Each structure stands twice: as structure tokens, then as C-alpha cells.
Amino acid sequence: MLQELSWKVGGQQGEGIDSTGKTFATSLNRMGYYIYSYRHFSSRIKGGHTNDRVRISTSQKGASADFLDILLAFDQETIDFNGHELRSGGIVIGDAKFSPVLPADIAQGVRLFSIPFTKLAEQSGAAIMKNMVALGATARVMGLEPTFCAPVLQSMFGRKSQKIVDQNLGAVQAGYDAMSAEGGDFPEFQLSPPVPDKHLLMIGNDAIGFGALAAGARVMPAYPITPASDVMEYLIKKLPLVGGVVLQTEDEIAALNMTIGAAYAGARALTATSGPGLSLMMEALGLAGMTETPVVIVDSQRGGPSTGLPTKHEQSDMFAVLFGNHGEIPKVVLAPSTPEECFYATIDAFNYAEQYQCPVILITDLALSLASQSVKPFDYDAVTIDRGRLATAEELAQTEQGQMFKRYERTQNGISPRSFPGQKGGIHHVTGVEHSEIGRPDEIAGNHTAMMDKRLGKLRNIELPNSVTYTGEANPDVLLVGVGSSAGPIGEAVARLNQEGLRIGHAHVKVLSPFPVKTLQSYLAKAKQVIVAESNGTGQLLQLMRLSGLMHAEMSSFLKYDGTPFLPNEIAAQVKGSMLAWQR
Amino acid sequence: MLQELSWKVGGQQGEGIDSTGKTFATSLNRMGYYIYSYRHFSSRIKGGHTNDRVRISTSQKGASADFLDILLAFDQETIDFNGHELRSGGIVIGDAKFSPVLPADIAQGVRLFSIPFTKLAEQSGAAIMKNMVALGATARVMGLEPTFCAPVLQSMFGRKSQKIVDQNLGAVQAGYDAMSAEGGDFPEFQLSPPVPDKHLLMIGNDAIGFGALAAGARVMPAYPITPASDVMEYLIKKLPLVGGVVLQTEDEIAALNMTIGAAYAGARALTATSGPGLSLMMEALGLAGMTETPVVIVDSQRGGPSTGLPTKHEQSDMFAVLFGNHGEIPKVVLAPSTPEECFYATIDAFNYAEQYQCPVILITDLALSLASQSVKPFDYDAVTIDRGRLATAEELAQTEQGQMFKRYERTQNGISPRSFPGQKGGIHHVTGVEHSEIGRPDEIAGNHTAMMDKRLGKLRNIELPNSVTYTGEANPDVLLVGVGSSAGPIGEAVARLNQEGLRIGHAHVKVLSPFPVKTLQSYLAKAKQVIVAESNGTGQLLQLMRLSGLMHAEMSSFLKYDGTPFLPNEIAAQVKGSMLAWQR
Amino acid sequence: MATVKEFRNNVRPNWCPGCGDFAVQAALQRALGNLNLEPENVAIVSGIGCSGRISGYVNAYGFHGVHGRSLPIAQGVKLANRDLTVIASGGDGDGFGIGMGHFMHAARRNMDMTYIVMDNQIYGLTKGQHSPTSAFGFKAKTTPAGNIENAISPLQIALAAGITYLAQGFSHDVNQLTELIQGGIEHKGFSLINVFSPCVTYNKVNTYEWYKQHVVHLEDFPDYNTADRSAAMAKVAETDGLCTGLVYHDDTRKPFDQLIQGYKPEPINAQNLTLEREMFDKVMEEFA
Amino acid sequence: MATVKEFRNNVRPNWCPGCGDFAVQAALQRALGNLNLEPENVAIVSGIGCSGRISGYVNAYGFHGVHGRSLPIAQGVKLANRDLTVIASGGDGDGFGIGMGHFMHAARRNMDMTYIVMDNQIYGLTKGQHSPTSAFGFKAKTTPAGNIENAISPLQIALAAGITYLAQGFSHDVNQLTELIQGGIEHKGFSLINVFSPCVTYNKVNTYEWYKQHVVHLEDFPDYNTADRSAAMAKVAETDGLCTGLVYHDDTRKPFDQLIQGYKPEPINAQNLTLEREMFDKVMEEFA
Ligand SMILES: Cc1ncc(C[n+]2csc(CCOP(=O)(O)OP(=O)(O)O)c2C)c(N)n1
Ligand SMILES: Cc1ncc(C[n+]2csc(CCOP(=O)(O)OP(=O)(O)O)c2C)c(N)n1
Ligand code: SF4
Ligand code: SF4
Ligand SMILES: [Mg+2]
Ligand SMILES: [Mg+2]
């Protein structure tokens, strides 16, 4: 019996590929399996190849599998594009309607089944249910009950009409039966029973939205953009329930400036964007830094530069996030690597923003933002809200008539008390111009130096907790360093390699600013060789390490920038290759 | 007799301080002296202290002097603010009108002269001529003829009316006479006669404007901002003479996008901005990189972050220029250090832009953009125009009917032929989306990698000529590394220290991208200690060196970020101090 | 209760003597005083320009943002705390040049706030370039041969954007200006008060004298109906935009802030931020 | 001479079947063909959105820029080469949302070019959020409880900005649309053709049927004078913006490109770039 199985469904955009994958994944997640599901889609609405690759496993996985076991195809293109991913002995189930054939480059022993998806769907009530037929065929192969997706279908369509539910279930059954008619069982596709464990299935963006809700966010001005829009679309459903508001602005410039206004006035506020919007936010980002306004910005990276590859994975905006605004400001940049971490990092983001009174950027990548993953239920008690250094009633009362509140008081740690409009005794001025302790423009030479030190000092020589996670060998021959969603594939590769007897370590960076130099230094010191794996063309993480003074005699980049995330075996192969090269 | 003299005039903004300094400096420049003149001003139109500090020398200087010899004051504030800069034995000449007094913190032996500037001006015709009276007093002290500024006054007012010229000259004479009446000569303020050498007096921004004109620039869309506006204001007078156009756009986003449009359509085009505008240009900058459109962007740095210190010097936008746009593009970043270099670098900028088909950013700082300096006349024959790889008539003719031109052909060096709208056979598509050789969107994984390599490869492993200049000791105990306008103060400090017998070297970086790693490495390798001097709070140049793999066991930052440029003796003191610290 | 005095602070404006902006400041302070508002309940958000300095010259919460973005910031402030009286302000370049998009959208969005533009038909702070309201043919630093762009009409575009309160004042008439600003603040929705606020240093054409000669007062047209949008459009066109007074007023529309789904009377910034465990669990369950 | 055929290329548009943008593409190709233009002398600049793809679907020089910036790019193209026929185009979000500021300024600047907006009252490419032209109350992904912002009226704001050629078409009527686009191209100045171009996938309210029911044709008003700006304003208001045909046309004003100081008939990109030594020396002497 298998511990995991890899399945893919493909067809044309707009054909319901998404919902097929979703029904499948959600059903298996409810059964207790762990899911990792990654969609391939393109920047058009209807037409064009799309697919959903679902990995079902008895333990948690953070990456797509290296190979496919089962491919469901709604057109020949799906087979032609994806067939090479099938392991030998895998199977293709295609809609008989397009008379599927296997291409030449297919692995040995791959079998093709032609099942009349569309026809059976029509017989069950409507052609659009061909997806259900396909799911039924899958169930048969995997040895699942034909009713495995009944609960999910019930919650999807139950409120609309029971008839639809029944029709769909009928279609599933029809697919199941048709596959049965092909004869034989498929013992090599049977999954071990799941560990009975409850988990949630969500994309990183959902976790961020939920995290923001839990953190007390109340205002979200934002502008739609792939792959960040989901955060806004999630919160637009939730914030009104708690008296908050999502506002779709005219552009990203307005979005961040409005976020600044709301945060200044006392609300917890966030915005979310991706590369092009991030570029447009640079001026406002500097304003937030200069005015010490606690805003949270979610940046979900996609393929760049420019409009780039809007629906593809990349990690090429780290430098823009860290260095893009003119002038120098303190900022916290959190880089979670799983939906679970997205949730907690979002809560941290709001707390850090108010504790350090500076912008916090939560950076994700497309794979993290959009891949559906099984995660442990979140811990209510782990959610804390710390609003940082707020002016107390006594302090406000002390402000003399006609005097301004020292919003930018130069304190030991650079953090000053905040007052909000509406508070008597808290009146002060705020400006992006260099200013005095009460916020008035002040161009005197000494003041600028002092205020620069105040602001930059807030994060100087600080390492935030859990800035790096480490797994694997403590004194490794090869240390892999990564950031973002690659925690999954790197972690898996490392576990595999260590099982093979190699000595490999894995340091995953979770905070890009303040950069955890000391911790990384300690790991680097123990490694013979270092490979920094990232999804971009210039090796930004490695450059960031070097810039921070982190050196290692044998440090190299492993870069992938074709728009797809790393697979575990790509990492493993690179490690092995470079161990060889190095030993030579 | 002095080889140099340092003079300052100060008063309220709007009182004509600028023109006093300008008349003075221009007159002495015409006499053959070398001038370095730096204005202190603030972000308001009338009122507030302003001053113009002019260094007159028999040889070329690129920095303000460490101390003042003469201070002309139109108000007491001027003396209070600037008095401490006077060397012992210096003099203050104040308008009797405000009954000037010397403050307590003044150097020993400083003398104060109270001359009725305003009264004498009124007697000469109008109070506004008090500046001329002050210049006359200065002339007397320095042993200049009272007519020393006659040619300049003639060209300033001659076309208006001879009467004004004569009145002004009368006022100068009155000041001269009044100073004479104070009795005695001032042998300690006599300058050696100048080497009879012709030079021009200009600010860096003028040199950029002139350079753009000489380089064949024809379109400049821009939005006003200190300290970049002069470039636009210069070209608006010149471009119409050659059939070109300057257009004041609605914002900086429009400015750069319009520049892109013009460059795409075949014109040499540029825009100019400073920090806030730069931040707004990030998205368009990425577009220029992705579409391989040759635009030239002038970024004149001022105090940041945010609105910051709009009229003060800083070098804190280097990272934004290098890394600010999301995604990864090739770009050339030139950093001239004198007006002369500004001129030639601007010409280079247009050539590089078209040779490498990428955005070129010419980065300056406020001191470089705005300080008036004497420069050698420019060499007409050194101006070349190289439009790079344009499609030939034969190539265009080869395009078959219904076929598109391969504007993004993948060639060995990554540089493809350009065709312009209007050219038959050159039709192609341009997009910020990842694209094929004919410019059509193409999301296939392999294509993105190949195109990223094509674009980034254009500048990989390349060092542009004259990327670093080196002076001083070849095997120095201390190597100073700088960028931008600090070439003057660092160069002067190094010369002085070497004369004192220390072994100091000076490497000045003139190109920030592609970063001249090899050349710098060779200099670093020969130095015992390295000090990177820059005008910002985080040491961006040093970080850039580290990021590029440049390491040195004894490398430190010398940072100044109070809004004023380095003075030679500040550099010298730092060098001496760190030599001591290091030897200990 | 606060009076005009409470809205004064100890800062000496750094405007040039005679600048029109002094009158705008005075009128704003008077309007706030007349309305008996408390300084701490007023937030003034401004852009960058000579005009933008105004947020530092009134005793109230002041936010001097970046160039052209006063309206997005101000809207954020209002969203977070709808109990505040929110004023946005800045110059013609700030508001109708770089900030044009935000203005049009703020007008149609109709949040309850007041926008005051100090329109001097020039870029003051950057020393005299032409602005979007500079007339065709106007000579400025950047138009030495005369402006070849047509001027924006703030009143026309405001009406076209669907503004609900529109007025125009003139720095010479502080009383009228005070009233117009007061009306804007009292109006429940987005209001624009465009003010002819002469730049005595750089604009030698549109001087106090020039405006005095060219401006007509809407009060002089007793039949003029400020509730009639077409009439307003026509009057603005007829007077070439040179009319002062209340141009248009629509008090039938609810402001954005009251239309928000799940609107609660208590302002957002006063809410308890803790998510109840029950709701937490319910939301989490949706992912199961 | 080129005909409509020359403006076709071999790319299959990736719009959804039935999308209104197909008709816009066809009308544009026909208009270009009817005017006997050569493909190489036409530059089509577009923004980002489903609509923005149009620059890749016409055989001509095409520039697909970034979101909301087609007009600045197009103006740059025109400045560099005024012999080109320059078309800018994109969606309602692209042009009237993020691009609003550029639109207003392009209209008043009045360069000789044609702007075609495919107005589907929705954000198509990002999957169905409301747009600036979405009606009050409209339900979209981002307005589940109904839009609480008032829609922009493209025609009103264009008139207010001082546009010199204004028309509105509907994807259902390719013949009329072709004529309107053709008129815009022939017009010497900035023209907007706003097109009701239904999004069949995400906008289930403003469908072909809906437009057919609501749209009035200006040709049906024989007295309507397209040269009368006030009449245009009134008609647009009266029809709630739902009129098609030529709305306004002012052919008395010279376009920007002809007013440029030092204007030369030869386009900029055809000039010899070398600065004569004499001028070089003269300019240099100014710094002595
Ligand atoms: C992004 C950006 N671009 C340019 C500037 C420079 N700048 C400051 S104020 C201003 C224009 C001022 O004109 P206006 O808004 O009319 O205000 P006024 O000074 O006339 O009151 C400009 C262009 C800036 N601060 N930020
Ligand atoms: C700066 C930036 N922000 C956001 C996006 C994402 N985006 C792409 S198209 C689009 C809106 C599309 O709407 P519209 O302009 O109406 O075009 P349509 O798809 O409806 O034709 C958005 C928000 C982007 N590409 N760039
Ligand atoms: S420059 Fe003009 S707008 Fe600015 S303060 Fe002076 S008068 Fe006022
Ligand atoms: S989503 Fe709408 S606008 Fe986009 S192609 Fe489909 S129908 Fe057209
Ligand atoms: Mg102005
Ligand atoms: Mg649209």
C-alpha cells in the first residue's frame, strides 16, 4: 500500500478543472490524508491548458511529488504536456470523446484508459459533470468508495438543491462503474489508510486572510492582482462581520497611502499586492517608514520582471521589498514558508508593526500563496495582540495646553509613544519631511542624524525569534539554505538524502529583515559546503547573505527560474552533483 | 599670497543671496580662478537662512574649504549660524543696518566690519543693490579691482539697460570705498594671480543637460523636483532649438512611461528625477528592462527617506536605483563625480542605453547636481553617438509578408536588432509579459529561463571602461573608496595625507552597475585597510561591495548623513583616527 | 467649546508675505472654531507644496503626506475613525496634477470629508513651473514660449466625477471662504472647496487684482439653484470657471462611510480587536 | 494600399468566446483598412487587462505596456514620431481606474491620437472585481453586498477634461463602431471612443441584451449638434451616459504636437542627432 500518490487533472481553462481538483483534494483531506495541491494556470480566462496536481499522502508534505501516478485528461494537450511526468507504470485516464493517445516520450508501462467522461455525464444529467465522472474513475483506481466525495458535494451543492447533489453522485458512480468495466483491480494505487488526524486544507493566502482577521485587522484598502487578490477577496467576506472594511482602491498607490492613514488613525490595517503593485508602493513605503506608521503589506511574488509571468512562481522581489524605496527606513520582512506559518506570521506582522512602529512586509511566493495544503488546526491561544507603545491616559493628560505631544520622542530604544487623532493631549504633527520630536519639519544637520539613528536603531542588532529554522545534520557536508515555499521540497530532499546516509542540513530563512546574521553564521560555520536554493535569476538570498557579511569558502547558488517551484528530486540531484564536483 | 580663499555670503531666502554668490563666482571664474560654490538653502521660497559658500583657488578643487576666510552677512543669523566656520584671523563683514556682533564661539582673531550695505545701496539707487555693496567690500579686502565684476554685470543687465549696470557698478564702488575707509590693507587675503586658463563654471545638472543635448536627446518628459528640475529647465531652453521637446508630465509615472514610448519609437529620450519620483518610477523601470527599451534616467539624490530633506545632500538612493524594481532586469548605473564627468557620462549613458538596450540611470547627489564648479571646456570631438544594434535595411527587407520581425532574437551576446514603428518589415510586438523572439507573450517554462538569461547576460561579467578611478599610493595603508561628489573632498584629503607622508590610496567608483568587481578587487588586495566613505546611514556602497563578493579583513564605513557633504579635513581626520585604532 | 483660538498654534508659516495661503489657513481655523469642534477631533491631511504646509499651521492632528496623496491618506483616516472631522488639502499641482486620479475617485466615492485646494495656477514650492490649472498660453519656467496644454477646470471635473458639495473661494474674501469651508465640513459627504490663492512670487498673471477683475460671485445670481447639477455645469462653463460661492450641493446621497456593509456606529479604531473563540472556530471550520 | 486584411495577423485572441473585445478588434482593423493606412505606420499601445491584449492581435506595431499607462507610452510614441497613427487602448479599469490621472491629462493635452476603451464595467482579467464604471449597487467579487461607490461616467469626465473628439460605441454594432474609430483617427487631436464591450464571463448584468435595451443612438436625434459642448453635457446626463454615436467634436483646436515650440514638420526620430560644432561652442560659451 502506498504512503502517497500523485494525481493530476488537466484540460482547458474554464472547463472546471479547478473544481475537480478541489473536490478531490478536499474530500481526501477530510478523510485524514495530507494534501499538497498546485495549480498550473495562465493569464487568460477561458481556454489554454490548465491543470491541478494533487499529492495525497499519509504524512504532511510541502511540495509536489517528483512523479505522477495518475493523470486525468480532458483533452489530448493535457496528455502531451504532462505525460512525461508519469512514472513508469502510471496511468492516464482520458475522455473517450477526444480519442486519447499516449505520446512517444511516455515512461515505460504507462497505461491509457479511455473512459467516456462526457457521454456518461450527459447521461447523468449534464455534460459539465464530466469532472465527476472522472473523479469516479479515479476512485475506482485508488480503491476509494464512489461516495468518497459525497460530503464535499453535499456542502457545495446541498444548499442549492438535493437534485444536483444526487446527479453529481450519479456521475461519480457512472465513472466508477465504467472504470470497473475496464476489468481488474489496481493494487499498486491503493493508499494506506490515513492517520485519523484532523487538518484544514487551505492556500497560504487564506491563512494570511484568516491571520489578519484573528490579529484584529479592520481596514484593508487594496487593488486586485494575481496572486494576491485572494487575501482581499477573503477579507471582504470576513471583515464586515467584525465591523471592518475592505476597500478596492483606484490603484496601489492609493491602497498603501490609505492603509497608512488608517493605521495612523489607530486601526490595524493591511494591504496586499504583487510585484507591479509593490513597485508602485515604494514612495508610500518610505512614508510609512519615515512617519513610523505601523502598516502591514503582503507581497505575493510572481514571475517578473514587469508584468512578467503573472501566474507563475518566482522569488525575485526580495530585493525590491528590502531595498526598493528611496532613502533608508527600518522595516520588518517576514517570509513564512507554509500556510500555517502564514497564519502566525500575519499575527506577528501586526504585532511587530506596532511594537517597532514601522512597515512590516509579509513576503510570500506564488506557490505558497496559492498551493492548497493540509495544515494543523490553528491555536486560538497562540493569537496575541500587542499594540506596542501607546501613549497612556496619564501621559496624554500631562501634555500642557498649547503644547504638542512628543510622538517622535527620542528614547533609548528609538520607540516613541503613539497617540491617535481623537485623543486629547495627543496632538502632534506627522510628516515625511525630516522632523523634530513633535513631528515638525526640522532640517538642522544634527537633527537628521539623530532621527535617522532613532529610526534605523529600532531594528539594529536585533534578531527576531524563529528567524531561521534548522533541520537535518548538525555538522553537514552540505547545508541547504532556502526561503519561502521551498521549505517543502528542500526539507523533503534533505530528509531523503540523510536517509541515504549523506550528511545534509537545511536552514530555512523566515525573516529577511532584520536579517538573522548571527544564527546563519553559526550554521554556516558548521557546514563544509553551502548551497542557497532560490527561485530567481540572480541569487538574491545569497547576495543578501554576502551583503550581511556572511561568507563561506564553498557557497554557491542553485537557481531555478522557469516559473515552476522546485521539486524534491531536483534539490537532491543538485546536492549530489555539487558534492561530487566538490570532492573532485 | 594665497593659493585659495574661502568666502561665504548669507542672509534670508529671497534676498538675492544666490545672485550675489553667482556674480562673485562667475567674475572670478572668468578671471581664471577655479571656483567651487555650494549653496545652503531650504524648502521654502522666501525667508529662512540661506548662504552661498564660494571657494576661490588657483587650482581645481572639488569640495568646499574646511574653513572660511571671509563671511558676508546680511543678518545676525548668518553670523550666528556660520561664524564657527571662520578660521582664526578671518573676517566678518556685516550690514551696519542690523548692528552685527560676533558670537562667543568665534575663532581667535576674527575681525568684524560693519558696513552700511543697505544705506549705501539706497544711495546708489535701490536697496536691493546691497549685494553689490557687499561685493565691493569683498573686492577691497581681497585686493581686487572694484570693477572685477563689471563684465558679469554687463552680461546680466546690459541688455536691459546700461543705467542698471552703471548703478550696480556704483554700488560696488561704494562698498569698495567704505571698506577702504575702514583703513589698512588686507595682505593676508590677497590671492595669487590665476593661471591664465579658460574654464567654464557650471553645476552638474547643467553639464547633464548640455550632455543630453550633445548626445542627440530629443524628448524629455519630466516632472519637477528638487534637485533635478534644472535638467528639465535647461533643456526646455535648448531642445526646441534642435527640434526636440520637453514635456512636463502629470507625474513621474507618466514621465518614465512617456520616455519609454519615445525611446521605443526611435528618439533618444530621457527623464530626470529625485528620490520620491524615483520611487514612483519603479514599475516603468521594470518595463524598460523587460522590453529592452533604451531610456536614460537621471536620479539626483537628496536627503531621504520619504520627502526627507529636499534641499540637502545625501547618497541614500543607490540601493533603490540598483534594486528597487520588482523582478530582475539588466541596467547600467553611472555615477559621475564632477560636472565634467556628468557631461561625458550623459553621452555614455545614451550610448550604453542603445548598445545594451536597457535602462541607464545616471545617479548624482545634491552636491554634484547643484554645486557650481570650474571645469575644463568640453571636447567636441569626444562626443560620439552610437545607436547600437539597429536593424539594417537589408534585414528589414528580408522579413516575409505576414511574418514578424525578431526584435528579441536570442543572439550570442543577448543583444537583438531594433526596429522602429514606421519601418516596413520591422513589425513586432512589445510587452512587459515574458515573450518570444517576436515579442509575443510566451509562458512556457523554458522560454522564461532563456529570455532571463538573454537579458541578464547582456551585462554579466562585463566591466565598463573607467568604472573606477584611482589616485594616491599604489600599495596604501588605507584605501578610501567613495562614489559621487565626494571625489573632491576625498581626493583632497588623500593628496594632503600623502604629502604628510602617509600612504593613502583613493578608489572612486564611477559605475555602480555592472559593478566593477575585478578592478576593485585588485585595489582591495593591495590595501592594508579600507574605508568606504559615503553620505548615508547604512553604508550602501560598502554593502554593495560585500554583496559582490568583495571582502577585506579591515574594511569599515565612514558615514555622514547630516545633510551636508564631506569636507576634506573630516576625511583626513577619519583616516588618521582609524590608522591609530588599527595600529593599536 | 473650542473657538478659532484653539486652532492656532505657535508656528510662523513659512509662506512668502502676501501668499494667498494665509487666508486659507485663517478661514479654515475660523470655520473649525465656528463649528465648535475640538482640535483633537480634527485631522488635517495635506500634500506637498507650499500649500501642503497648512497641516502644520493649524492646531489639530496634522499629517503632511507625500506629493499628491493627501486624499488616499485622509480616506484611510476617516475609515479608521469616522468620528473625526477630516480635512484634506494641498495645491493645484498636488491635487489636480499628480493627484488627479485620487481626486476623481474620492469625489465619486463620497466619503464624508472636506478637500481644500489652494489653487494658484502654478507650482510654487518647486519655483514656478506651470500647473494643470495654468491657462493656455501662460508663461512659466517650463513654458517659456507659453503653455500649450489646456487648463483643467477643477469645477467641471468635480461635477463630472459626481461630487456632492462643490464650492469655490478666493483668498481675498476670508468671510466667504470661511462660510464655504464650514458648509463643506457640515456636508455629509465629500466636498471640494477650490480656492483662488494667489502665488505672489511666481504667478505674475493670476494676481489678487486679476482675480478681483475676473471673478463673479454666484450670490449675485439670485435664481441660481445650487441643487441643480446641469445648471451648475452650465454656470461653470459660462463663467469660465471663474465664479466663487457654493456651486453645487446634493444632500440626498449617503456618504460612503455610512454605506459600508456591516457598518457599526462606533468607529473602527474603538473596537475590541480580539476575535471571539467561537467565531475563530467557525471560520477555521470552513477550511476543513 | 493596405486593406483590412493587412491588419490581421495569425494570432488567435485568447478572449472568452463571445467577449465584446472581438468586435472592437474587428472594428479597429476595419477602420485602419478603410483609411488605407500601412500597418508599419500604425502603433497600437495597450494596457493590462483582457482588453489590453488587443495590441497583439492587430498586424501593426504593438506595445503592451503596464497596467494603466497606455496613454503616457502612446504620447511618448507620438512625440518621437508624429507621422505615426497612434492608437491607445485598454479596459475601463486600466483607463479610468488606475489610469484615470493620465486620461484626464491626455485629454486636455490633446495630442493627435485615438484612445479606445473597452468598457465592460468589470475587471475581467483578474476575475470579476468591480470597476470604476460598475454601477452603484452592482455585485462583484469585491462588492458582495453591492457596490457603494458611484460609477464614473467616461463621457462626462472626458468632456470636463476638454476632450476634442468623443464617441461611444457598442460591440454589438461593428459598423457604427468602425465609423466612430475611423472618425477618431481622422480627427486631429485626442479622441476617446468608449465602447460597451460586454464581459460575458463575469458581468452578468451589463450583457449584450442589457445594453441593447438601454442604449440610445445619438443619430436618432437629428437636431443633436456634436459641436455644442453644453448640449453634449446635457445629452450625456439625460441619457445617463448610455448613448452611442459621436458625442462631441471640436475641430477648431490645434493638437499639442503642432503647437510644440520649434515644431518641425519632420518627425523627431528622423532628425540628424549630431549637434553642430558651432552650436556646441555657442552653448558652451554660455557657461564661461
Ligand atoms: C513625487 C514627487 N514629485 C515631485 C515633488 C516635488 N514637488 C514638491 S511640491 C511640487 C508641486 C507644488 O505645486 P502645488 O501642488 O501647486 O503646490 P504649491 O506649492 O503651488 O502650493 C512638486 C512638483 C515631490 N515632492 N514629490
Ligand atoms: C500595477 C498593477 N496592478 C494590478 C494589476 C492586475 N490587473 C491586471 S488587469 C487588471 C484590471 C483589468 O480590468 P480592466 O482594465 O477593466 O480590463 P478587462 O480585463 O476588463 O478588459 C488588474 C487589476 C496589474 N497588472 N498591475
Ligand atoms: S512661492 Fe507662491 S505659493 Fe509659495 S509661499 Fe510664496 S507666494 Fe505662496
Ligand atoms: S473574462 Fe470577460 S473581458 Fe475577459 S476575455 Fe472573458 S469575456 Fe472578455
Ligand atoms: Mg500651486
Ligand atoms: Mg474591464
Side-chain angles (χ1 to χ4, degrees), chain B residues 538-582:
Chain B
T538 60
Q540 299 187 5
L541 180 58
L542 184 138
Q543 291 189 61
L544 181 61
M545 288 170 67
R546 282 209 301 233
L547 167 162
S548 316
L550 291 170
M551 291 299 282
H552 192 286
E554 297 291 337
M555 182 153 77
S556 62
S557 268
F558 177 36
L559 305 180
K560 187 179 181 193
Y561 47 103
D562 68 353
T564 67
F566 285 115
L567 293 175
N569 69 354
E570 293 171 339
I571 304 276
Q574 177 73 13
V575 169
K576 287 183 180 173
S578 68
M579 283 179 83
L580 275 180
W582 188 57

Side-chain angles (χ1 to χ4, degrees), chain A residues 417-431:
Chain A
R418 286 169 74 205
S419 64
F420 300 128
Q423 289 181 327
K424 203 175 159 72
I427 289 182
H428 61 274
H429 191 240
V430 175
T431 173

Side-chain angles (χ1 to χ4, degrees), chain B residues 376-426:
Chain B
K376 284 203 215 71
F378 301 144
D379 180 5
Y380 180 77
D381 296 317
V383 178
T384 54
I385 293 180
D386 176 355
R387 305 216 52 186
R389 177 74 176 86
L390 303 185
T392 61
E394 296 75 53
E395 284 174 324
L396 293 170
Q398 272 163 28
T399 313
E400 274 165 55
Q401 183 69 25
Q403 289 303 102
M404 301 259 270
F405 183 76
K406 284 195 181 173
R407 164 70 186 96
Y408 299 107
E409 192 180 343
R410 296 213 295 261
T411 61
Q412 200 113 49
N413 61 5
I415 294 160
S416 324
R418 286 171 74 207
S419 63
F420 301 128
Q423 289 182 327
K424 202 174 159 73

Side-chain angles (χ1 to χ4, degrees), chain C residues 36-59:
Chain C
N36 286 320
L37 297 167
E38 297 297 337
E40 65 268 20
N41 293 329
V42 176
I44 304 176
V45 182
S46 64
I48 302 289
C50 293
S51 45
R53 288 295 182 113
I54 197 168
S55 59
Y57 301 156
V58 177
N59 187 43

